């Protein structure tokens, strides 16, 4: 299962409304790359593919493909703001290390532009 914080759900609903897609879903996925590990992605989607899992969190439907689900089950999506603006952050309890550029790795961070924390 993937969850959203209330703040993230509000921001996602605002994005969907601005795009005129109030019935759409949030697709959360992982792809290879980044800091020698996984890179997270999110997109507004209208389609549920065969095998996709659909979750509801704070009134937002979240869609995850079967491969990604194995890596991000139990994750929480949050919206955070800092001096550079706001953005979405995925807190993945399955990741051994996380990188500052929205990626995670089971082996730690290896790229120069990502700082481990």
């Amino acid at each position: 299962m993937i969850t959203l914080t209330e703040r993230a759900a509000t921001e996602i609903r605002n994005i969907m409304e601005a795009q005129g897609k109030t019935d759409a879903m949030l697709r959360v996925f992982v792809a290879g790359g980044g800091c020698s590990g996984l890179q997270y992605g999110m997109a507004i989607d209208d389609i549920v593919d065969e095998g996709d899992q659909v979750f509801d969190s704070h009134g937002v439907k979240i869609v995850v493909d079967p491969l990604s689900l194995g890596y991000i089950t139990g994750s929480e999506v949050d919206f955070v703001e800092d001096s550079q603006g706001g953005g979405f952050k995925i807190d993945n309890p399955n990741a051994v290390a996380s990188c500052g550029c929205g990626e995670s790795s089971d082996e730690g961070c290896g790229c120069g532009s990502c700082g481990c924390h």
Side-chain angles (χ1 to χ4, degrees), residues 75-98:
S75 296
E76 180 181 64
V77 179
D78 194 7
F79 185 85
V80 294
E81 291 187 85
D82 59 23
S83 60
Q84 297 178 346
F88 292 97
K89 175 185 172 201
I90 297 179
D91 180 21
N92 184 348
N94 303 307
V96 174
S98 64

Side-chain angles (χ1 to χ4, degrees), residues 45-111:
D45 201 345
D46 299 305
I47 299 169
V48 176
D49 294 323
E50 185 176 331
D52 284 349
Q53 295 291 314
V54 180
F55 307 100
D56 187 280
S57 183
H58 297 288
V60 175
K61 288 186 180 175
I62 304 165
V63 179
V64 183
D65 65 89
L67 180 63
S68 296
L69 189 62
Y71 291 104
I72 59 177
T73 294
S75 296
E76 180 181 64
V77 179
D78 194 7
F79 185 85
V80 294
E81 291 187 85
D82 59 23
S83 60
Q84 297 178 346
F88 292 97
K89 175 185 172 201
I90 297 179
D91 180 21
N92 184 348
N94 303 307
V96 174
S98 64
C99 303
C101 50
E103 299 161 351
S104 69
S105 172
D106 289 335
E107 301 171 8
C109 300
C111 64

